[in-house]
Amino acid sequence: MPVPEGTKAEIVGGNVFMSPRRQHHWEIISGIFEQLRDKYPRKRLASDLRIDIPGHLNGSACDLAAMADRSVKDSKFPRD
């Protein structure tokens, strides 16, 4: 599916969601990231990476995610 430049597209629950990428969006994400860095090590934070959350059709590419200590990488996770 062609996606216009500057647009993020995700399929969630069989539906296509598209949202623009803008500087304001990044400023919000980076502000949250800076706050999370006080509590979480860098390797437990991820951005725009597919995360399979338990449950049916719960794969998502979150803007920002913080993983629990017990979280593990699986074969789908890209190599460091």
Side-chain angles (χ1 to χ4, degrees):
M1 172 180 97
V3 177
E5 186 175 338
T7 302
K8 176 182 176 182
E10 292 183 86
I11 299 174
V12 179
N15 299 301
V16 177
F17 290 86
M18 296 174 65
S19 59
R21 292 289 195 186
R22 296 191 174 135
Q23 183 64 27
H24 183 69
H25 186 240
W26 166 245
E27 289 170 5
I28 293 168
I29 294 168
S30 64
I32 295 169
F33 175 79
E34 289 171 2
Q35 293 177 51
L36 289 173
R37 281 290 292 133
D38 291 339
K39 182 174 180 178
Y40 295 91
R42 185 176 306 271
K43 293 219 175 220
R44 287 189 32 219
L45 296 172
S47 176
D48 208 25
L49 175 69
R50 181 185 166 102
I51 299 172
D52 292 321
I53 301 167
H56 183 65
L57 297 175
N58 284 341
S60 181
C62 307
D63 289 327
L64 187 59
M67 269 61 83
D69 283 330
R70 65 184 181 279
S71 299
V72 295
K73 297 178 185 179
D74 63 16
S75 62
K76 296 180 209 173
F77 196 85
R79 295 185 185 262
D80 292 328

